Structure formats: structure tokens, C-alpha cells
Amino acid sequence: DGGITQSPKYLFRKEGQNVTLSCEQNLNHDAMYWYRQDPGQGLRLIYYSQIVNDFQKGDIAEGYSVSREKKESFPLTVTSAQKNPTAFYLCASSQWGGQNSNQPQHFGDGTRLSIL
Amino acid sequence: RKEVEQDPGPFNVPEGATVAFNCTYSNSASQSFFWYRQDCRKEPKLLMSVYSSGNEDGRFTAQLNRASQYISLLIRDSKLSDSATYLCAVNPSSGGSYIPTFGRGTSLIVHP
């Protein structure tokens, strides 16, 4: 089955600790995205990547970092600089641009991050 | 004005009712439109794309009104299982950015 896999499902972070959320897709999509969702709120874009070895900041990139070394993988690191990391983190992928810009995003099942 | 706006609701309807949600967007050059369903504490799942001529999938009908810059989702014969939050997403036109913008969602509660 093609899809997006996020892990872990639940993650707890201690003060001052960096944690990394995994996102893997086998849909052969060019673009991958990370969103943050707080209770009762919409999706806020953290980072996105159109192509391997390239990524761009979204609306709320401060305190986060990403890498895109492989097409299938787009891990997100929540650094200690992110003072309010408790949220639901969603990874998504889609085809990118041109005639593909009418393609929807597909989401992983999310990671819930909490502070210990 | 926000780029994509939805009435957060909740819309509280009895089983069997017909309910409609709108989603307005500010970028007149927006190219493609989608409705997603999000259950509590779950990821958004694509419900349907919205085509210019309107489209239907079972009890669900999606329409696009470019002149007034909104899309709509109509649910007929509501089921208890339709209770969820419905998010709209708008993809911009070309011009360098293909990042979709999501509305904050409309909450639907279907009661017996």
C-alpha cells in the first residue's frame, strides 16, 4: 500500500532536548511538508521541500529544522529553541508544480508531541 | 482578510438532514480546490476535489463559485458517522508557489 508513515505516534520531550520526528513516503511524490496543528486550530506550515536537498521555511519555522537527503524521507527536528512544542505534527506529500499543481496533499497519521 | 476562511461552527444537525458549508478564498487566481475530512485527533483525509463544473460523490456535492470566490460542500442525508471537521484547501496558481492554504475547518455534529 502506498502512503505516508510518521513515527513515533506519541513523543515526549524533556526541557532542553532536541527530538526528531520521522516521515517516510512511498508515493513517489516530489514535495513534502510539515504542519503543526494546535487544539481547535488550523494547519500551520513549518517547512516544505520541493526536491531532494532543498527545503524552504514555512510560516512558523523558528525552533525547527529539517533535512531532505532522500526523496522518500523528510524528518523534522524540534529543537530546544522551540519553547512551546506541544502540538500535533502532520507530515504531507504531493506532486509539485506545473500541471501537478492541481494535485491534493496526502497526510501521514501524525505525531503528538508533549513536554515532560 | 484571511486567505481562506471557514465558519468554525459547530453545525449541529439531526440524522437525515442536509447541511452545507462554504469556504471563501481571497486569491482570485487560485487554481484548485479540495475538501478534507478530519476526525478528532486524526489526520486530514481527502474527501473530494472540487471541479469547476461541480461534482458529486454519493451524498456529497462540491461546487465552485469563481465569481464570488468560494467553494461549498453539501452533505445530504447526514449520518452519525459524518460528524467531523471539514477543512477546505486552496492551491494557488503558478507563479512560484504551489503551497496550499487550508481553512481552519468547520465542525459538524450529527445527532440521533
Side-chain angles (χ1 to χ4, degrees):
Chain A
D1 267 351
I4 302 175
T5 302
Q6 289 187 241
S7 63
K9 212 170 182 62
Y10 299 95
L11 187 58
F12 297 92
R13 196 193 87 170
K14 295 180 182 177
E15 293 287 343
Q17 186 183 38
N18 293 353
V19 292
T20 297
L21 284 58
S22 169
C23 178
E24 304 276 332
Q25 55 100 359
N26 61 4
L27 299 168
N28 199 33
H29 284 164
D30 301 310
M32 297 186 74
Y33 314 78
W34 274 105
Y35 292 92
R36 169 181 172 140
Q37 188 175 39
D38 293 280
Q41 302 296 313
L43 302 175
R44 292 190 289 168
L45 183 65
I46 304 173
Y47 268 99
Y48 66 98
S49 168
Q50 307 169 37
I51 196 169
V52 174
N53 292 324
D54 186 52
F55 48 82
Q56 308 295 327
K57 292 182 179 179
D59 301 318
I60 55 163
E62 187 173 346
Y64 300 97
S65 66
V66 293
S67 63
R68 186 89 185 274
E69 297 176 3
K70 298 186 300 183
K71 186 175 185 177
E72 303 80 21
S73 178
F74 191 41
L76 173 74
T77 296
V78 184
T79 74
S80 57
Q82 172 51 245
K83 297 306 179 188
N84 184 22
T86 297
F88 187 39
Y89 290 87
L90 288 159
C91 179
S93 71
S94 71
Q95 297 291 15
W96 179 265
Q99 63 185 6
N100 293 314
S101 61
N102 62 349
Q103 298 302 306
Q105 291 185 325
H106 297 265
F107 287 85
D109 57 5
T111 293
R112 291 200 177 274
L113 176 61
S114 302
I115 292 186
L116 278 179
Chain B
R1 181 182 172 186
K2 291 181 183 173
E3 289 185 53
V4 177
E5 290 195 67
Q6 294 184 255
D7 181 343
F11 284 61
N12 207 317
V13 303
E15 268 187 292
T18 296
V19 62
F21 316 129
N22 285 344
C23 167
T24 59
Y25 60 94
S26 59
N27 184 351
S28 60
S30 296
Q31 188 173 39
S32 48
F33 309 87
F34 309 96
W35 283 104
Y36 288 81
R37 171 195 169 123
Q38 186 174 25
D39 291 295
C40 188
R41 300 176 69 81
K42 300 284 189 181
E43 76 278 20
K45 291 186 178 176
L46 181 67
L47 181 64
M48 56 199 303
S49 302
V50 186
Y51 302 124
S52 297
S53 55
N55 47 300
E56 191 174 302
D57 182 2
R59 297 181 294 109
F60 299 84
T61 301
Q63 291 193 311
L64 167 63
N65 186 318
R66 283 198 184 271
S68 300
Q69 294 182 208
Y70 73 88
I71 62 172
S72 63
L73 178 68
L74 179 80
I75 306 175
R76 289 181 299 278
D77 188 24
S78 298
K79 311 290 185 192
L80 296 177
S81 57
D82 293 333
S83 298
T85 297
Y86 291 84
L87 307 174
C88 64
V90 177
N91 282 15
S93 64
S94 60
S97 171
Y98 298 100
I99 306 297
T101 301
F102 286 84
R104 292 176 64 175
T106 296
S107 175
L108 172 66
I109 301 171
V110 182
H111 59 82

